[in-house]
Every structure is written in C-alpha cells, then in structure tokens.
Amino acid sequence: MSEHEKVLVIDFGGQYNQLIARRVREHNIYCEVLSYKTPIEKIKAEHPVGLIFTGGPASVYLESSPHISKEIFELGVPVLGICYGAHIMVYTLGGTVTEADENSQAEFGRTECDFDGSCALFNGLRSRSVVWMSHNDHIEKLPEGFRAAAHSAKCPYAAIEDPERKFYATQFHPEVNHTEQGFDMLGKFLYDVCGCKGDWTMSGYAQTAIDEIRAKVGNGKVLLALSGGVDSSVACALLSKAIGRQLTCVFVDHGFMRKNEGDEVEKAFADWDVNFIRVNAGERFLAKLEGISEPERKRKLIGEEFIRVFEEEAKKIGKVDFLVQGTIYPDVIESGAGDAAVIKSHHNVGGLPDYVDFKEIIEPLRLLFKDEVRKLGIELGLADYLVWRQPFPGPGLAIRIIGEITREKLAILQDADLIFREEIAAAGLDRDINQYFAVLTDMRSVGVMGDGRTYDYTLALRAVTTSDFMTADFARIPYEVLEKASVRIVNEVGHINRVCYDVTSKPPATIEWE
Ligand code: XMP
C-alpha cells in the first residue's frame, strides 16, 4: 500500500487518537498512528505528506511528559497540533505554555469560537461556531513566526498558525463531532495545506489487496478459520476473489451459535468460489462442557476444543502454505498500556496459534478500521447479514447460559434471543444499538400462567451502546419495545416465566454476563 499518500498521526496518549486517524481516512487519505517515541528516521522513511500531533493527558512542562525532538519540525512536512499536540509544538519551537491557575483559561466542553478566515484551516468556513475544548493548560506566548488564527472568550490562542512553515495548531478538538465544522477544518489541512489528492478508496484498496495476495500466494494453498464474524467473512470474500479455490475455509460450528446462524453462514458463502468446510461439532462441545458452570473454565475448554477440531481439519487438508488472520488496524496500533488485569480470557477464532503447519500468515485487513472492513465487505458484495453482524463472542451462547449448559437450555436461549433480535430490528433500532442479546440465568422463580403455578427460568435482556466495547452504557430502549419482546418470549418460548432488562453500564458490569 506504499504508493498511497500517507499522513501520520503522532500519538501523545490522548483519548481521540484513533478517531483522528479515522477522520483522516474519511477524507480518503491513508493514515497511520505512530507513537511519539518513534525515531525520526522511521518517520522520515514513511514519506508522510502531513503530520498530526494528538492530544494527551499530560502537561508539557513536566519532565515525565511525552516530548518530541525539534528535528520533526525540520522535515519540511506540514504539521497540525491538536490540544497537547498544540502545546508540544509551541513548547518545542520556543513559545510558552502555562499551567492552569485559579483565574485559569481552562475550558471544557462546548465553546463558541471565532475564526480568522485568512487562515488556511478556516478559509471559506463560517467565522463563528462551536468547538469542543478540553484543556487545563493554555498557550501563553507564541513561538517566532506564529500568529493567532482563532479565539474564544477565554482563550486568545484557540488556533495558531505559521503559514510560512505550514505549522498549524488548535487548542480545541476538530476530530470530535461536537466541533461544528471540525471535519471540514481537518479536510482543509489535508487538502489545502498538505496538498493531498484523496487516493484512499475501498475499491482501490480491494484491487490492490487482491493483486498483492495473488503475487504473494502464487499457486500455494491457503487456510482460513471462518467464524461468520465480519472480519473473517470479509477476509474470506477478499481471498476468494483473489485466489478462488486455492482457499479453504473451515467453519467450526460449535453448536453455540444463535438460532439458524450456522446455516446462514454456510448459505452466505454457498455462491463464493472457495472450498468451504463446515464442521458440525455441537455434540462434541456439549459433551466437553457437561457439568461445567464456572465461566473461565467454559471459555478455556471451548477455546481448546476449537483448536483441536480445527487442527483435525487442517490435517485432512494436508500441508498449507498460508494461514489467514483477520487482524484489523486497531489490533496493530502500538499501545502504551501496561499489563492489564485479565477480566475474561478471550477466545478469538481469528487468532489461531502456531500448531498448523504453514509457511506464512496473511493479514489482508491489517490496515483497516472496523467501519472500513464493513465498507470493503459491501464493495466485495458480501451479504448484508454478515457485513452488519453485531459482535458475537467466540464461545457463543455458552457464556450466555449461566451455570451448566444443557441442550434444553441452549434451545430456550436460541428461541428467546431470536425474538429479542426480531423486535429490536422491527423497532428500527438494530443499527443504533451496538450489541443486544438475551442471557439465560440459572435462576428460577414462581409465576402464574393460565390458572396454574409455574416455576421457570428468568431471562435477562442486555443491550448496550458503545464505541469501542471497552466501556458501554445500557441502551435506553423504549418500554413498548421491551414489553413486546417480553410478552412474545414468555408466550412463545417454553420454560421462561420472567424477563428482566439489564440496566448496568460497563464498568462496573461487563457486556457479556460471563
Ligand atoms: P465484555 O463482556 O468483556 O465484552 O464486556 C466486550 C466485547 O467482547 C466480546 N467478547 C468476545 N469476543 N471472543 C471474542 O471474539 C471472546 O471470547 C469474547 N468475549 C467477549 C463481547 O461480546 C463484547 O462485544
């Protein structure tokens, strides 16, 4: 992909780093995120047409804060600094940044801002609009060559510029939606200042990726573990177009899929030019999990069994040359995070380990964000069902049945979950709610149906909104929709006499119950 014009986002640890990268790509410009620690030679070798410095939680005057070498400003490449990125630019080039005090210029949230239309970032835009501020520190004295380009009531340097050297900086965050015209401001930096043409499109990407895969694979054999999730499905479609029957997809149906899901996945790939192997291993997984109710144990057993099944299939196929992984860009970006506590052991069919005898790994999606993976899926003509599929955990419904898993409980949950999904879709909420599903608790309670007493399961409904699945809020579903789902579930599915809605956010809860 090296022939594309490229912008580098230099990451100073802010919360919007990936968002900035996505905004740049929405302008059809390829972009990567690199740590501020990246050596200058590496940055140079990437031949960026522009650099964007992100925000960050630190104050520039602390020794422990991220700093950057002055040399980066000597590359002759335009720079846009955002918030902390603005401070670091000012600080490094000889201006001053001041700590907030009691008369501070700290600003948080929506702020009215006035722009100077002669600045390339604001040229042709409305001269006053709302921006999103989030800063304690502020620019006190500009470095030589700079001038003010925007101000707010509290902040005389809401934006600054040195047009001669093509350095621009904003105290506010143009990348967030709350900044009106922010997307356009980024566009002006990219197109008018950096001189980008916008050569990053999905059809272009698909063709380049297909050519590269063909060149790499030659007439070798390729193996892909297909889960039916968006990433592995799009990878499958791409490889199918590139190398057809040289690809073998193994879809291990562990029996914990949602209602009819195994068949739907199989159907979706029926017309694609690939070798498709579906392994119906439901009985085997059920047997393995018999009597197990501890969540981590369930996850581990399913993960291990999955590998066993896949391994057996791979052996039948014989020696393969390449294994496909559905790695996407957020997995690739260096993260500064330390060792996080293990909350749940994730089982991801994309991440198969090294037991299969293969030469090399192919990661055809490693440059893409999730929404770009979807765009690519659409571009390739993949079924809508797969492109817009909500995330589904590797261990499937096994971790949505609390306690021991039985065939009966699995059937109950599949039926109830289908009804909930149907009602969410019927209410037109399926694209607004990021994940929604039913959980079968192991609690029974007393109810009355007809004239008789019942003693049956309690079902929980869970629906969340989230942008990254790291934190989430429970979805504010209208009562009427919940009511309809609840009435249908209790009437149409046996052995459920009570339905609850989970109103906890993450944290303190997690999205899945196990
Ligand atoms: P939690 O429950 O940790 O879930 O808040 C966060 C997101 O991850 C999904 N999830 C998984 N995905 N393998 C996966 O590929 C797994 O083992 C797994 N467990 C949870 C979950 O559905 C949610 O989207």
Side-chain angles (χ1 to χ4, degrees):
M1 301 290 147
S2 50
E3 69 276 17
H4 287 284
E5 55 194 9
K6 184 190 288 181
V7 166
L8 295 179
V9 172
I10 307 296
D11 179 4
F12 288 94
Q15 51 178 326
Y16 300 128
N17 309 341
Q18 290 204 30
L19 187 59
I20 297 172
R22 289 176 47 164
R23 291 284 177 265
V24 174
R25 289 181 180 205
E26 283 166 20
H27 276 292
N28 294 333
I29 293 153
Y30 179 63
C31 134
E32 284 182 26
V33 182
L34 291 182
S35 159
Y36 72 94
K37 295 178 193 148
T38 310
I40 199 86
E41 293 73 33
K42 182 163 189 298
I43 291 178
K44 223 161 138 180
E46 298 279 332
H47 302 296
V49 295
L51 299 171
I52 300 181
F53 293 178
T54 74
S59 287
V60 280
Y61 43 78
L62 294 178
E63 214 161 291
S64 57
S65 303
H67 288 109
I68 199 152
S69 149
K70 209 172 171 177
E71 286 173 71
I72 199 158
F73 296 103
E74 290 156 12
L75 298 175
V77 178
V79 183
L80 171 64
I82 296 174
C83 199
Y84 184 82
H87 299 166
I88 203 79
M89 181 188 286
V90 167
Y91 174 89
T92 314
L93 292 173
T96 45
V97 175
T98 305
E99 197 175 352
D101 55 28
E102 60 280 8
N103 318 307
S104 98
Q105 295 180 346
E107 289 168 299
F108 293 95
R110 298 163 62 82
T111 310
E112 285 276 347
C113 197
D114 290 297
F115 310 107
D116 179 344
S118 71
C119 169
L121 292 190
F122 311 121
N123 184 11
L125 302 184
R126 277 180 285 127
S127 62
R128 166 173 264 232
S129 63
V130 168
V131 300
W132 188 258
M133 291 281 196
S134 180
H135 66 107
N136 275 310
D137 300 352
H138 61 272
I139 299 166
E140 180 84 19
K141 183 173 149 284
L142 296 183
E144 211 166 302
F146 277 80
R147 62 176 204 96
H151 67 272
S152 67
K154 270 182 157 184
C155 180
Y157 300 129
I160 58 171
E161 65 167 349
D162 175 348
E164 202 67 11
R165 290 186 285 177
K166 299 195 177 179
F167 297 155
Y168 296 81
T170 62
Q171 181 60 78
F172 58 88
H173 288 270
E175 70 277 22
V176 304
N177 280 332
H178 304 284
T179 295
E180 294 169 8
Q181 312 192 92
F183 186 72
D184 296 334
M185 293 170 193
L186 285 174
K188 298 225 165 244
F189 174 70
L190 297 164
Y191 284 94
D192 299 348
V193 178
C194 303
C196 290
K197 290 177 219 55
D199 62 1
W200 176 253
T201 61
M202 269 311 132
S203 57
Y205 179 84
Q207 197 46 54
T208 316
I210 287 170
D211 294 345
E212 283 182 359
I213 291 166
R214 282 187 185 143
K216 183 168 196 173
V217 169
N219 43 27
K221 266 199 215 171
V222 181
L223 183 64
L224 179 148
L226 184 79
S227 67
V230 185
D231 302 341
S232 67
S233 298
V234 172
C236 175
L238 190 62
L239 275 125
S240 156
K241 292 241 159 154
I243 54 163
R245 301 238 157 221
Q246 284 166 259
L247 173 68
T248 302
C249 296
V250 177
F251 166 47
V252 178
D253 185 345
H254 51 29
F256 305 131
M257 307 292 280
R258 289 168 292 199
K259 181 113 180 170
N260 304 328
E261 195 161 31
D263 295 343
E264 281 170 3
V265 172
E266 188 172 351
K267 203 164 128 237
F269 285 98
D271 297 331
W272 288 78
D273 186 25
V274 289
N275 300 307
F276 183 95
I277 298 174
R278 173 175 176 181
V279 190
N280 288 317
E283 289 303 321
R284 184 169 167 171
F285 276 86
L286 263 183
K288 198 86 203 168
L289 287 161
E290 201 181 324
I292 308 290
S293 52
E294 206 278 311
E296 271 303 282
R297 188 97 191 96
K298 282 185 190 172
R299 285 174 167 275
K300 290 247 163 67
L301 284 173
I302 294 169
E304 281 164 21
E305 196 61 11
F306 192 92
I307 289 172
R308 293 289 90 73
V309 177
F310 190 79
E311 190 171 25
E312 287 166 21
E313 290 307 312
K315 272 203 188 113
K316 287 186 209 159
I317 297 162
K319 179 147 175 48
V320 294
D321 303 289
F322 300 90
L323 185 70
V324 181
Q325 301 253 38
T327 321
I328 65 171
Y329 191 60
D331 310 330
V332 176
I333 300 180
E334 279 177 50
S335 116
D339 297 328
V342 173
I343 310 291
K344 299 174 184 183
S345 347
H346 271 214
H347 150 79
N348 199 334
V349 291
L352 287 165
D354 43 2
Y355 56 88
V356 182
D357 187 14
F358 63 93
K359 243 180 16 202
E360 227 180 297
I361 288 178
I362 302 182
E363 295 176 313
L365 311 177
R366 75 192 310 279
L367 299 180
L368 306 182
F369 284 106
K370 195 80 171 182
D371 50 339
E372 293 175 314
V373 173
R374 290 196 212 280
K375 271 194 208 158
L376 179 60
I378 293 164
E379 180 69 34
L380 293 167
L382 203 65
D384 256 20
Y385 154 77
L386 290 173
V387 171
W388 293 108
R389 193 175 185 257
Q390 54 166 319
F392 187 62
L397 299 185
I399 54 160
R400 293 179 182 169
I401 294 172
I402 309 305
E404 194 181 338
I405 300 159
T406 63
R407 200 171 279 112
E408 185 205 28
K409 284 183 180 175
L410 195 54
I412 293 173
L413 181 57
Q414 282 177 330
D415 289 341
D417 182 73
L418 179 64
I419 292 173
F420 186 42
R421 285 187 289 134
E422 283 173 355
E423 290 306 325
I424 292 287
L429 297 171
D430 49 335
R431 297 251 172 118
D432 299 334
I433 300 176
N434 303 96
Q435 206 171 357
Y436 49 97
F437 53 88
V439 175
L440 187 62
T441 75
D442 59 352
M443 197 193 82
R444 286 170 187 244
S445 70
V446 174
V448 53
M449 277 175 107
D451 286 327
R453 174 187 191 272
T454 58
Y455 185 57
D456 273 325
Y457 289 113
T458 299
L459 185 89
L461 300 179
R462 179 84 165 133
V464 296
T465 52
T466 171
S467 56
D468 57 6
F469 298 88
M470 303 294 287
T471 59
D473 198 4
F474 73 88
R476 272 43 172 190
I477 295 179
Y479 278 147
E480 303 74 56
V481 180
L482 287 174
E483 181 187 9
K484 212 155 161 228
S486 162
V487 169
R488 276 193 62 197
I489 288 167
V490 174
N491 281 296
E492 295 174 33
V493 184
H495 302 294
I496 294 176
N497 65 357
R498 195 175 294 271
V499 176
C500 300
Y501 186 54
D502 181 347
V503 290
T504 23
S505 58
K506 171 187 179 177
T510 51
I511 295 175
E512 303 288 346
W513 276 38
E514 288 196 333

mmCIF file of all heavy atoms in Angstrom, residues 190-217:
data_model
loop_
_atom_site.group_PDB
_atom_site.id
_atom_site.type_symbol
_atom_site.label_atom_id
_atom_site.label_comp_id
_atom_site.label_asym_id
_atom_site.label_seq_id
_atom_site.Cartn_x
_atom_site.Cartn_y
_atom_site.Cartn_z
ATOM 1 N N LEU A 190 -5.674 18.829 5.282
ATOM 2 C CA LEU A 190 -5.199 17.723 4.455
ATOM 3 C C LEU A 190 -5.082 18.118 2.980
ATOM 4 O O LEU A 190 -4.079 17.825 2.322
ATOM 5 C CB LEU A 190 -6.133 16.521 4.605
ATOM 6 C CG LEU A 190 -6.184 15.948 6.029
ATOM 7 C CD1 LEU A 190 -7.395 15.037 6.202
ATOM 8 C CD2 LEU A 190 -4.896 15.182 6.324
ATOM 9 N N TYR A 191 -6.124 18.764 2.478
ATOM 10 C CA TYR A 191 -6.147 19.046 1.039
ATOM 11 C C TYR A 191 -5.430 20.355 0.693
ATOM 12 O O TYR A 191 -4.631 20.406 -0.231
ATOM 13 C CB TYR A 191 -7.593 19.070 0.527
ATOM 14 C CG TYR A 191 -8.147 17.666 0.387
ATOM 15 C CD1 TYR A 191 -8.867 17.075 1.415
ATOM 16 C CD2 TYR A 191 -7.913 16.918 -0.764
ATOM 17 C CE1 TYR A 191 -9.351 15.780 1.306
ATOM 18 C CE2 TYR A 191 -8.397 15.619 -0.900
ATOM 19 C CZ TYR A 191 -9.111 15.062 0.145
ATOM 20 O OH TYR A 191 -9.569 13.784 0.026
ATOM 21 N N ASP A 192 -5.735 21.416 1.464
ATOM 22 C CA ASP A 192 -5.198 22.732 1.084
ATOM 23 C C ASP A 192 -3.774 22.943 1.588
ATOM 24 O O ASP A 192 -2.966 23.553 0.915
ATOM 25 C CB ASP A 192 -6.107 23.856 1.603
ATOM 26 C CG ASP A 192 -7.508 23.738 1.009
ATOM 27 O OD1 ASP A 192 -7.679 22.945 0.051
ATOM 28 O OD2 ASP A 192 -8.431 24.401 1.506
ATOM 29 N N VAL A 193 -3.487 22.437 2.796
ATOM 30 C CA VAL A 193 -2.143 22.657 3.346
ATOM 31 C C VAL A 193 -1.192 21.541 2.895
ATOM 32 O O VAL A 193 -0.107 21.806 2.379
ATOM 33 C CB VAL A 193 -2.179 22.744 4.892
ATOM 34 C CG1 VAL A 193 -0.765 22.911 5.443
ATOM 35 C CG2 VAL A 193 -3.078 23.895 5.353
ATOM 36 N N CYS A 194 -1.618 20.286 3.065
ATOM 37 C CA CYS A 194 -0.708 19.172 2.722
ATOM 38 C C CYS A 194 -0.747 18.836 1.230
ATOM 39 O O CYS A 194 0.095 18.082 0.745
ATOM 40 C CB CYS A 194 -1.079 17.914 3.518
ATOM 41 S SG CYS A 194 -1.057 18.146 5.290
ATOM 42 N N GLY A 195 -1.755 19.340 0.536
ATOM 43 C CA GLY A 195 -1.853 19.085 -0.908
ATOM 44 C C GLY A 195 -2.255 17.664 -1.264
ATOM 45 O O GLY A 195 -1.907 17.139 -2.330
ATOM 46 N N CYS A 196 -3.026 17.011 -0.366
ATOM 47 C CA CYS A 196 -3.469 15.638 -0.652
ATOM 48 C C CYS A 196 -4.452 15.602 -1.819
ATOM 49 O O CYS A 196 -5.153 16.583 -2.089
ATOM 50 C CB CYS A 196 -4.182 15.061 0.569
ATOM 51 S SG CYS A 196 -3.071 14.734 1.929
ATOM 52 N N LYS A 197 -4.509 14.443 -2.474
ATOM 53 C CA LYS A 197 -5.463 14.265 -3.573
ATOM 54 C C LYS A 197 -6.620 13.367 -3.155
ATOM 55 O O LYS A 197 -7.669 13.355 -3.758
ATOM 56 C CB LYS A 197 -4.761 13.684 -4.791
ATOM 57 C CG LYS A 197 -3.824 14.676 -5.447
ATOM 58 C CD LYS A 197 -3.111 14.020 -6.605
ATOM 59 C CE LYS A 197 -1.665 14.425 -6.745
ATOM 60 N NZ LYS A 197 -0.816 14.245 -5.558
ATOM 61 N N GLY A 198 -6.425 12.553 -2.113
ATOM 62 C CA GLY A 198 -7.502 11.669 -1.651
ATOM 63 C C GLY A 198 -7.533 10.381 -2.450
ATOM 64 O O GLY A 198 -8.481 10.135 -3.203
ATOM 65 N N ASP A 199 -6.503 9.551 -2.315
ATOM 66 C CA ASP A 199 -6.437 8.342 -3.154
ATOM 67 C C ASP A 199 -6.751 7.069 -2.369
ATOM 68 O O ASP A 199 -6.451 5.972 -2.817
ATOM 69 C CB ASP A 199 -5.056 8.235 -3.815
ATOM 70 C CG ASP A 199 -3.924 8.094 -2.797
ATOM 71 O OD1 ASP A 199 -4.221 8.057 -1.585
ATOM 72 O OD2 ASP A 199 -2.759 8.022 -3.219
ATOM 73 N N TRP A 200 -7.339 7.216 -1.186
ATOM 74 C CA TRP A 200 -7.637 6.035 -0.357
ATOM 75 C C TRP A 200 -9.131 5.712 -0.482
ATOM 76 O O TRP A 200 -9.964 6.335 0.163
ATOM 77 C CB TRP A 200 -7.265 6.327 1.095
ATOM 78 C CG TRP A 200 -7.606 5.249 2.085
ATOM 79 C CD1 TRP A 200 -8.619 5.297 3.013
ATOM 80 C CD2 TRP A 200 -6.956 4.000 2.274
ATOM 81 N NE1 TRP A 200 -8.624 4.151 3.767
ATOM 82 C CE2 TRP A 200 -7.610 3.342 3.342
ATOM 83 C CE3 TRP A 200 -5.867 3.368 1.650
ATOM 84 C CZ2 TRP A 200 -7.225 2.079 3.791
ATOM 85 C CZ3 TRP A 200 -5.494 2.122 2.104
ATOM 86 C CH2 TRP A 200 -6.165 1.488 3.162
ATOM 87 N N THR A 201 -9.470 4.798 -1.368
ATOM 88 C CA THR A 201 -10.872 4.426 -1.528
ATOM 89 C C THR A 201 -10.966 2.906 -1.403
ATOM 90 O O THR A 201 -9.986 2.199 -1.633
ATOM 91 C CB THR A 201 -11.417 4.828 -2.917
ATOM 92 O OG1 THR A 201 -10.643 4.126 -3.898
ATOM 93 C CG2 THR A 201 -11.339 6.314 -3.158
ATOM 94 N N MET A 202 -12.165 2.425 -1.062
ATOM 95 C CA MET A 202 -12.304 0.987 -0.839
ATOM 96 C C MET A 202 -12.164 0.165 -2.112
ATOM 97 O O MET A 202 -11.638 -0.939 -2.084
ATOM 98 C CB MET A 202 -13.640 0.684 -0.161
ATOM 99 C CG MET A 202 -13.528 0.686 1.334
ATOM 100 S SD MET A 202 -12.131 -0.307 1.913
ATOM 101 C CE MET A 202 -11.409 0.839 3.046
ATOM 102 N N SER A 203 -12.623 0.719 -3.240
ATOM 103 C CA SER A 203 -12.490 -0.074 -4.463
ATOM 104 C C SER A 203 -11.004 -0.170 -4.825
ATOM 105 O O SER A 203 -10.510 -1.224 -5.238
ATOM 106 C CB SER A 203 -13.309 0.523 -5.601
ATOM 107 O OG SER A 203 -12.909 1.844 -5.808
ATOM 108 N N GLY A 204 -10.285 0.947 -4.619
ATOM 109 C CA GLY A 204 -8.842 0.938 -4.870
ATOM 110 C C GLY A 204 -8.157 -0.036 -3.929
ATOM 111 O O GLY A 204 -7.292 -0.818 -4.330
ATOM 112 N N TYR A 205 -8.581 -0.011 -2.671
ATOM 113 C CA TYR A 205 -7.968 -0.887 -1.681
ATOM 114 C C TYR A 205 -8.174 -2.349 -2.066
ATOM 115 O O TYR A 205 -7.250 -3.160 -2.031
ATOM 116 C CB TYR A 205 -8.557 -0.635 -0.286
ATOM 117 C CG TYR A 205 -7.960 -1.557 0.748
ATOM 118 C CD1 TYR A 205 -6.760 -1.246 1.352
ATOM 119 C CD2 TYR A 205 -8.574 -2.767 1.074
ATOM 120 C CE1 TYR A 205 -6.176 -2.107 2.266
ATOM 121 C CE2 TYR A 205 -8.000 -3.642 1.980
ATOM 122 C CZ TYR A 205 -6.808 -3.309 2.577
ATOM 123 O OH TYR A 205 -6.230 -4.162 3.480
ATOM 124 N N ALA A 206 -9.416 -2.681 -2.431
ATOM 125 C CA ALA A 206 -9.745 -4.071 -2.762
ATOM 126 C C ALA A 206 -8.853 -4.563 -3.900
ATOM 127 O O ALA A 206 -8.257 -5.643 -3.825
ATOM 128 C CB ALA A 206 -11.219 -4.187 -3.138
ATOM 129 N N GLN A 207 -8.732 -3.732 -4.940
ATOM 130 C CA GLN A 207 -7.950 -4.178 -6.108
ATOM 131 C C GLN A 207 -6.469 -4.358 -5.755
ATOM 132 O O GLN A 207 -5.860 -5.364 -6.103
ATOM 133 C CB GLN A 207 -8.127 -3.181 -7.270
ATOM 134 C CG GLN A 207 -7.708 -3.750 -8.613
ATOM 135 C CD GLN A 207 -8.252 -5.179 -8.881
ATOM 136 O OE1 GLN A 207 -9.463 -5.411 -8.793
ATOM 137 N NE2 GLN A 207 -7.364 -6.138 -9.152
ATOM 138 N N THR A 208 -5.928 -3.391 -5.001
ATOM 139 C CA THR A 208 -4.514 -3.501 -4.610
ATOM 140 C C THR A 208 -4.312 -4.739 -3.750
ATOM 141 O O THR A 208 -3.342 -5.487 -3.929
ATOM 142 C CB THR A 208 -4.082 -2.258 -3.797
ATOM 143 O OG1 THR A 208 -4.594 -1.112 -4.445
ATOM 144 C CG2 THR A 208 -2.582 -2.155 -3.684
ATOM 145 N N ALA A 209 -5.235 -4.954 -2.797
ATOM 146 C CA ALA A 209 -5.087 -6.101 -1.891
ATOM 147 C C ALA A 209 -5.151 -7.401 -2.687
ATOM 148 O O ALA A 209 -4.366 -8.322 -2.457
ATOM 149 C CB ALA A 209 -6.184 -6.066 -0.824
ATOM 150 N N ILE A 210 -6.072 -7.480 -3.639
ATOM 151 C CA ILE A 210 -6.198 -8.694 -4.461
ATOM 152 C C ILE A 210 -4.902 -8.943 -5.242
ATOM 153 O O ILE A 210 -4.375 -10.059 -5.260
ATOM 154 C CB ILE A 210 -7.428 -8.568 -5.405
ATOM 155 C CG1 ILE A 210 -8.708 -8.713 -4.577
ATOM 156 C CG2 ILE A 210 -7.380 -9.591 -6.539
ATOM 157 C CD1 ILE A 210 -9.980 -8.371 -5.310
ATOM 158 N N ASP A 211 -4.360 -7.893 -5.837
ATOM 159 C CA ASP A 211 -3.104 -8.037 -6.593
ATOM 160 C C ASP A 211 -1.972 -8.513 -5.680
ATOM 161 O O ASP A 211 -1.199 -9.397 -6.041
ATOM 162 C CB ASP A 211 -2.697 -6.699 -7.235
ATOM 163 C CG ASP A 211 -3.693 -6.281 -8.307
ATOM 164 O OD1 ASP A 211 -4.496 -7.143 -8.735
ATOM 165 O OD2 ASP A 211 -3.689 -5.089 -8.696
ATOM 166 N N GLU A 212 -1.916 -7.912 -4.485
ATOM 167 C CA GLU A 212 -0.835 -8.280 -3.556
ATOM 168 C C GLU A 212 -0.971 -9.721 -3.079
ATOM 169 O O GLU A 212 0.020 -10.441 -2.960
ATOM 170 C CB GLU A 212 -0.835 -7.332 -2.352
ATOM 171 C CG GLU A 212 -0.228 -5.985 -2.700
ATOM 172 C CD GLU A 212 -0.178 -5.038 -1.505
ATOM 173 O OE1 GLU A 212 -0.629 -5.425 -0.394
ATOM 174 O OE2 GLU A 212 0.295 -3.908 -1.698
ATOM 175 N N ILE A 213 -2.205 -10.132 -2.801
ATOM 176 C CA ILE A 213 -2.427 -11.516 -2.337
ATOM 177 C C ILE A 213 -2.005 -12.488 -3.437
ATOM 178 O O ILE A 213 -1.304 -13.466 -3.188
ATOM 179 C CB ILE A 213 -3.907 -11.736 -1.941
ATOM 180 C CG1 ILE A 213 -4.231 -10.937 -0.671
ATOM 181 C CG2 ILE A 213 -4.209 -13.218 -1.723
ATOM 182 C CD1 ILE A 213 -5.715 -10.812 -0.366
ATOM 183 N N ARG A 214 -2.407 -12.190 -4.675
ATOM 184 C CA ARG A 214 -2.050 -13.086 -5.797
ATOM 185 C C ARG A 214 -0.542 -13.201 -5.933
ATOM 186 O O ARG A 214 0.009 -14.293 -6.098
ATOM 187 C CB ARG A 214 -2.623 -12.546 -7.109
ATOM 188 C CG ARG A 214 -4.089 -12.850 -7.230
ATOM 189 C CD ARG A 214 -4.614 -12.459 -8.601
ATOM 190 N NE ARG A 214 -6.053 -12.649 -8.640
ATOM 191 C CZ ARG A 214 -6.904 -11.852 -9.275
ATOM 192 N NH1 ARG A 214 -6.451 -10.809 -9.939
ATOM 193 N NH2 ARG A 214 -8.181 -12.118 -9.252
ATOM 194 N N ALA A 215 0.126 -12.047 -5.840
ATOM 195 C CA ALA A 215 1.585 -12.054 -6.003
ATOM 196 C C ALA A 215 2.241 -12.866 -4.885
ATOM 197 O O ALA A 215 3.199 -13.603 -5.119
ATOM 198 C CB ALA A 215 2.116 -10.623 -6.006
ATOM 199 N N LYS A 216 1.704 -12.751 -3.703
ATOM 200 C CA LYS A 216 2.318 -13.412 -2.554
ATOM 201 C C LYS A 216 2.062 -14.927 -2.566
ATOM 202 O O LYS A 216 2.959 -15.730 -2.331
ATOM 203 C CB LYS A 216 1.731 -12.805 -1.282
ATOM 204 C CG LYS A 216 2.326 -13.337 -0.012
ATOM 205 C CD LYS A 216 1.887 -12.478 1.161
ATOM 206 C CE LYS A 216 2.749 -12.732 2.365
ATOM 207 N NZ LYS A 216 2.450 -11.811 3.448
ATOM 208 N N VAL A 217 0.816 -15.304 -2.858
ATOM 209 C CA VAL A 217 0.398 -16.701 -2.723
ATOM 210 C C VAL A 217 0.862 -17.575 -3.896
ATOM 211 O O VAL A 217 1.136 -18.760 -3.728
ATOM 212 C CB VAL A 217 -1.146 -16.764 -2.561
ATOM 213 C CG1 VAL A 217 -1.667 -18.170 -2.696
ATOM 214 C CG2 VAL A 217 -1.553 -16.162 -1.230
#
